[in-house]
Amino acid sequence: MKRTIAIIAGGDSSEHEVSMKSAEGIYSFIDKEKYNLYIVELTKKYWEALLPDGTRTPVDKNDFSFQDNGNKIIPDFAYITIHGTPGENGILQGYFELLGIPYSTCDVLVSAMTFSKFTLNQYLKGFGIRVAESMLVNKRHGISDEDVVEKIGLPCFIKPNASGSSFGVTKVKTREQIQPALEAAFQESDDVMIEAFMDGIELANGCYKTAEKSVVFPITEVVSQNEFFDYNAKYKGEVTEITPARLSPELTDRVQKLTSAIYDILGCRGIIRVDYIITEGEKINMLEINTTPGMTATSFIPQQVKAAGLDIKDVMTDIIESHF
């Protein structure tokens, strides 16, 4: 008997529509011979399952069930692809834990920790992983231009601390840009991270593990046409993505081993993507970890799966079956 998979998308961040596109990608990647698939769209206002005939039906939050042609459907597995809250920060993970429904991502603690960029960076620093100098600023308190320049320096990045989005991120070059950049970031998150600028080669590296295997994908090199890898670069093609990255075999091996180590340090589950910047002297600096990476046909992970010579259908099956 086929298992039923719910692909959970939507959410309440600025990347709602990107999440819906990721859901379409995952729907196309999962083997329909093995699984019954439904996309479920969640927001604060509604939870709805998209039925095969194109109609929608409400989801009962008590048991995550919905009706399809008179039949009560309770999914056997939740594939979470929400970028931002509630799918990337542990909230939805806790809900599925309570219901006993297995899900595709890291657990509650790891999801919450990776969602807070500053918390994650400070934690991984304790394991000797190199990260940029940074500080956290709360919306209620703010910070003066002088403190930013003195403690972090210019240029720097000002970004939402807890957000699954590329929105609200600014590369700040002058004092005059600091307060407007803070305002933009505070639109997305109550806490803002101010991070020192690092000049170098930007990379993205995906990984997943099951009880039987450990897979680290080929690395993608990100060459943005913009000041940095912003929303337009990420989703509007204003970027060149090279997979595998133009790195020496030795540096490639070092990056991939670090990705695998980070996965294990945190106790991750499912597919993650770790973003890096390589600075002078081939120093590997971790930027952030994405525990619900984009899964459209042109996203990093599908690119890396293809470059590895793997079938993404098999990868999806690995992720699902590892929970049963």
Side-chain angles (χ1 to χ4, degrees):
M1 190 172 172
K2 285 185 182 180
R3 289 194 174 104
T4 297
I5 312 299
I7 303 166
I8 318 299
D12 299 299
S13 83
S14 302
E15 289 194 76
H16 179 102
E17 291 309 314
V18 176
S19 169
M20 296 303 295
K21 286 186 171 63
S22 283
E24 291 170 13
I26 292 165
Y27 188 94
S28 71
F29 300 148
I30 293 177
D31 191 341
K32 292 163 195 65
E33 296 292 316
K34 293 183 177 176
Y35 307 106
N36 297 314
L37 303 180
Y38 293 90
I39 292 175
V40 176
E41 184 177 6
L42 307 188
T43 71
K44 285 177 182 172
K45 295 180 179 176
Y46 61 87
W47 291 28
E48 293 178 339
L50 284 60
L51 301 181
D53 63 5
T55 62
R56 290 168 170 260
T57 187
V59 173
D60 184 344
K61 295 179 186 178
N62 291 298
D63 59 2
F64 202 64
S65 69
F66 52 88
Q67 296 287 325
D68 182 7
N69 200 26
N71 297 312
K72 181 177 179 177
I73 308 293
I74 300 179
D76 300 298
F77 183 82
Y79 199 111
I80 300 171
T81 188
I82 291 177
H83 310 311
T85 189
E88 202 170 2
N89 56 0
I91 293 173
L92 206 51
Q93 286 79 3
Y95 168 76
F96 286 124
E97 291 276 1
L98 289 171
L99 292 182
I101 296 175
Y103 53 89
S104 59
T105 67
C106 299
D107 65 18
V108 175
L109 175 62
V110 178
S111 296
M113 184 162 60
T114 54
F115 194 64
S116 169
K117 299 176 178 70
F118 185 80
T119 302
L120 175 71
N121 286 8
Q122 299 310 305
Y123 181 74
L124 289 179
K125 267 169 83 171
F127 290 87
I129 292 167
R130 184 185 294 271
V131 297
E133 280 299 315
S134 63
M135 62 189 298
L136 195 64
V137 181
N138 185 270
K139 192 174 192 173
R140 293 191 304 275
H141 305 135
I143 190 170
S144 69
D145 300 345
E146 291 71 26
D147 279 349
V148 173
V149 173
E150 181 187 335
K151 293 175 181 175
I152 301 296
L154 295 175
C156 68
F157 282 103
I158 294 180
K159 59 178 77 171
N161 179 56
S163 169
S165 169
S166 301
F167 290 96
V169 182
T170 307
K171 182 179 178 182
V172 172
K173 297 179 180 177
T174 66
R175 285 172 180 261
E176 293 72 30
Q177 294 175 319
I178 292 171
Q179 296 305 320
L182 286 167
E183 279 303 310
F186 284 135
Q187 294 295 316
E188 300 289 332
S189 173
D190 285 344
D191 292 314
V192 164
M193 181 171 163
I194 304 175
E195 187 176 56
F197 170 73
M198 294 183 290
D199 190 22
I201 302 166
E202 289 195 47
L203 306 173
N205 190 206
C207 175
Y208 79 95
K209 301 190 182 192
T210 68
E212 289 77 34
K213 63 177 74 171
S214 172
V215 180
V216 182
F217 299 128
I219 301 162
T220 299
E221 180 180 347
V222 182
V223 185
S224 178
Q225 299 166 21
N226 305 332
E227 282 282 358
F228 62 97
F229 190 51
D230 61 6
Y231 183 87
N232 287 342
K234 193 180 280 189
Y235 298 118
K236 296 189 177 179
E238 296 173 13
V239 66
T240 302
E241 297 165 5
I242 302 162
T243 310
R246 300 168 296 182
L247 306 174
S248 68
E250 187 269 338
L251 183 54
T252 297
D253 184 59
R254 285 173 55 211
V255 171
Q256 290 178 316
K257 280 181 175 168
L258 182 56
T259 299
S260 180
I262 288 170
Y263 195 105
D264 291 341
I265 288 167
L266 295 172
C268 292
R269 295 202 309 239
I271 299 175
I272 69 163
R273 192 191 77 231
V274 187
D275 296 342
Y276 301 100
I277 190 157
I278 308 297
T279 52
E280 194 174 348
E282 294 194 340
K283 291 174 181 169
I284 306 170
N285 306 271
M286 192 209 74
L287 292 175
E288 62 180 270
I289 297 174
N290 194 321
T291 57
T292 61
M295 292 294 283
T296 67
T298 58
S299 295
F300 288 130
I301 297 299
Q303 284 183 50
Q304 293 175 10
V305 170
K306 186 177 180 182
L310 301 172
D311 187 332
I312 194 143
K313 230 174 231 183
D314 295 334
V315 173
M316 294 291 104
T317 300
D318 280 348
I319 299 297
I320 295 165
E321 291 302 317
S322 67
H323 291 81
F324 296 102

